[in-house]
Amino acid sequence: MNLKSLCRPIGGGCYLLEEGVRIPVRIFMNETLFAEAEEALFQQIKNATEFPDVRDVVITPDAHTGYVVPVGCVIATEQTLCQAPVGYDIGCGMMAFRSDVDKGKGLDDRLRRRFSEEVMDRVALGVGEGGKYPVDEKKFEEIVRFGAEALGYERGNASERDFIPVDDRWKIPAKPKSRGIHQLRSLGGGNHFIELQYDQEEHLWVMVHTGSRGFGHGMATEYIQRGKEYLRQKGIRLAGGAEATYFSPDSPLWFEYKNAVAAGANFAIANRLLIWEGVGRAFRKVFGSEPELVYEISHNLVQEEEVPALGGKFWVHRKGATRAFPAGHPMLKGTRWYETGHPILIPGSMGDKSYILYAEPGAERSLYSVNHGCGRRMSRSAAKQQFTQSYVNRQMATLNVMVNAGGNVPIDESPGCYKPAEDVIASVVGAGLARVAYVLTPIASIKGND
DNA sequence: ATGTCC
């Protein structure tokens, strides 16, 4: 069955898929992005509707096919916890800070090279790398259980969540622990990055994209495997296949996975804040000014949320989707963001703009969520076939973005691999989900190797 | 995304 052909525009920058799926799905795309979407994406959207007590599904404009469900997918369940709709990089997300330093300093080749090198000295880069913040077991336990608070950050100030509570009875699994304990203050590889940028007022910013490294990956792997066994024993197989796993609340595994996600999220929050400290020191040293942490937020998570639009509490899974609470959202009560909504951090590709958005009241139509990036439009292998090293190096030089202090540009992360940020942001703004507060232009990008 | 196969 061709599901794409069953979608119909319902206005407000949204398509509705109602036929051929268990519950209606709202797909927030403009005509251009919808036209480009392939049927495989819609088959994965169908998978997202198949989980037992799923109540609502939303697709963001940067959506592309992922593991079982799309990257760019929001799923609200009554209680069921699903693995694929969180993904392997539990707690992966963004952090941004701004300064009063003029963009001219950032564009100075000598200064941006020095900044890049100072960052590379302080933060571990690449897959398989250990971190630059060694901790003992006691400190690691504290970080995993109390995230930002274990590092002394003031509550509700810097972060989407200071930490997600982890039950005392839950024990950190040995294997993920043995990997994670050495990986704090490390960036990882793939699409993770640290980027120097400037805003419309010509002030320097830094954005960071990273996650829970081997710690979250280890737990995701563990609970996806156990989910497969759990469903096999129950004789259940969803249309999405053996990998479309979940835990129902009557299982002890539900409790375990809930805590594993919380722990992964806490690790990721702490990792981003530790990177912020390292990058902040580099920034101060090179540019001579104290930057201000704007916000820190995840785009791969399941957490229990008050969902006013659905009239209750739900388990909101965001896989490659960013939380977008507008002003007055009940979950912002008591934070500094209650009157304005919290900042939404959206990166573009390494050659493209990034954006800081604030949610509009219309975000209630999208499960209080927007996109998390621009969406890949080319596989990594296709990129390596299509582009040469010298081409992408020249491309970034032309865009005036220094990569890894003058090193090679990772071909499969080059701008041609991603959709234009403008199209995706236009979809979000056009749908009335959020407005643009800052547009950030890249100056220097720091990336790990695969 | 990931000590990209314990």
Side-chain angles (χ1 to χ4, degrees):
Chain A
M1 184 169 21
N2 186 297
L3 291 172
K4 183 174 179 179
S5 65
L6 296 175
C7 297
R8 59 189 173 85
I10 56 168
C14 187
Y15 290 76
L16 189 72
L17 175 59
E18 215 167 6
E19 282 176 70
V21 286
R22 267 185 68 216
I23 59 164
V25 178
R26 298 186 299 294
I27 302 163
F28 286 89
M29 290 185 183
N30 62 22
E31 278 181 43
T32 316
L33 291 170
F34 183 81
E36 284 172 10
E38 288 172 11
E39 176 59 21
L41 176 68
F42 296 87
Q43 295 300 325
Q44 290 201 336
I45 291 172
K46 177 177 156 67
N47 294 343
T49 68
E50 303 272 336
F51 294 103
D53 56 6
V54 59
R55 194 43 204 285
D56 204 6
V57 175
V58 160
I59 300 299
T60 61
D62 58 335
H64 56 98
T65 53
Y67 175 75
V68 182
V69 298
V71 177
C73 169
V74 192
I75 300 174
T77 63
E78 305 267 356
Q79 288 194 289
T80 299
L81 293 178
C82 317
Q83 290 91 322
V86 174
Y88 276 95
D89 193 355
I90 297 168
C92 180
M94 299 297 304
M95 176 176 56
F97 61 88
R98 70 171 162 228
S99 75
D100 58 4
V101 178
D102 189 82
K103 80 166 183 188
K105 279 196 175 181
L107 282 164
D108 181 297
D109 267 347
R110 201 176 48 88
L111 290 181
R112 63 175 160 177
R113 186 182 303 272
R114 256 190 69 205
F115 172 72
S116 303
E117 287 165 353
E118 293 285 347
V119 168
M120 291 158 92
D121 281 347
R122 287 176 169 80
V123 179
L125 306 174
V127 173
E129 286 301 308
K132 301 219 174 188
Y133 188 79
V135 290
D136 58 19
E137 289 211 13
K138 184 169 168 288
K139 188 70 190 174
F140 186 72
E141 283 272 347
E142 255 180 68
I143 283 173
V144 161
R145 291 182 188 276
F146 299 106
E149 203 161 285
L151 300 172
Y153 282 82
E154 221 178 300
R155 279 199 178 209
N157 248 345
S159 215
E160 172 188 22
R161 300 284 293 258
D162 308 280
F163 63 94
I164 301 179
V166 174
D167 198 288
D168 287 343
R169 292 165 295 175
W170 183 76
K171 215 173 153 289
I172 303 172
K175 225 194 298 182
K177 180 174 172 176
S178 70
R179 287 169 63 175
I181 196 165
H182 305 294
Q183 290 186 314
L184 286 158
R185 195 172 274 157
S186 74
L187 187 70
N191 59 8
H192 290 169
F193 66 83
I194 299 168
E195 193 172 278
L196 182 65
Q197 311 161 331
Y198 64 87
D199 65 20
Q200 316 95 298
E201 292 150 16
E202 313 209 320
H203 290 139
L204 294 183
W205 285 61
V206 178
M207 254 193 190
V208 178
H209 177 214
T210 186
S212 54
R213 309 287 287 102
F215 181 63
H217 184 272
M219 288 190 300
T221 306
E222 166 84 17
Y223 288 103
I224 286 167
Q225 190 51 40
R226 294 175 77 171
K228 287 182 187 173
E229 286 160 22
Y230 167 80
L231 291 185
R232 190 162 53 230
Q233 277 171 19
K234 289 168 78 100
I236 294 171
R237 189 185 167 95
L238 297 187
E243 292 172 322
T245 59
Y246 64 87
F247 297 125
S248 296
D250 57 0
S251 165
L253 289 165
W254 184 92
F255 168 85
E256 279 198 47
Y257 182 62
K258 174 172 82 89
N259 281 291
V261 170
N266 294 342
F267 180 101
I269 291 167
N271 190 34
R272 280 189 286 274
L273 292 174
L274 289 166
I275 289 173
W276 136 254
E277 290 171 9
V279 175
R281 275 195 287 276
F283 191 94
R284 210 154 43 234
K285 190 169 166 186
V286 175
F287 297 115
S289 176
E290 184 69 37
E292 173 205 0
L293 182 53
V294 173
Y295 205 53
E296 182 283 314
I297 188 167
S298 171
H299 47 231
N300 280 2
L301 205 57
V302 57
Q303 54 187 338
E304 195 179 27
E305 287 182 7
E306 190 88 43
V307 186
L310 297 178
K313 280 191 168 183
F314 292 86
W315 289 88
V316 180
H317 303 66
R318 292 193 183 86
K319 169 66 178 296
T322 313
R323 200 187 72 170
F325 288 167
H329 191 286
M331 290 195 73
L332 292 178
K333 217 165 268 176
T335 75
R336 62 186 278 207
W337 309 112
Y338 187 68
E339 306 292 331
T340 58
H342 62 80
I344 303 165
L345 317 182
I346 307 294
S349 78
M350 58 163 65
D352 205 350
K353 315 270 191 208
S354 293
Y355 293 81
I356 308 288
L357 312 177
Y358 283 87
E360 297 280 14
E364 67 171 19
R365 295 164 60 226
S366 65
L367 279 168
Y368 308 93
S369 307
V370 297
N371 61 308
H372 82 309
C374 302
R376 192 165 260 288
R377 68 175 175 196
M378 189 184 295
S379 72
R380 293 184 184 280
S381 52
K384 286 172 187 164
Q385 285 195 337
Q386 187 161 339
F387 306 129
T388 63
Q389 187 65 63
S390 65
Y391 170 79
V392 296
N393 286 356
R394 269 185 285 119
Q395 179 182 32
M396 292 308 289
T398 304
L399 291 165
N400 197 13
V401 181
M402 181 182 283
V403 179
N404 286 347
N408 272 337
V409 174
I411 295 170
D412 53 357
E413 283 293 312
S414 65
C417 303
Y418 291 91
K419 293 174 195 163
E422 212 178 342
D423 294 354
V424 176
I425 296 296
S427 250
V428 165
V429 172
L433 305 180
R435 63 184 183 278
V436 175
Y438 291 98
V439 182
L440 303 164
T441 305
I443 295 177
S445 174
I446 295 154
K447 302 276 298 178
N449 297 310
D450 291 344

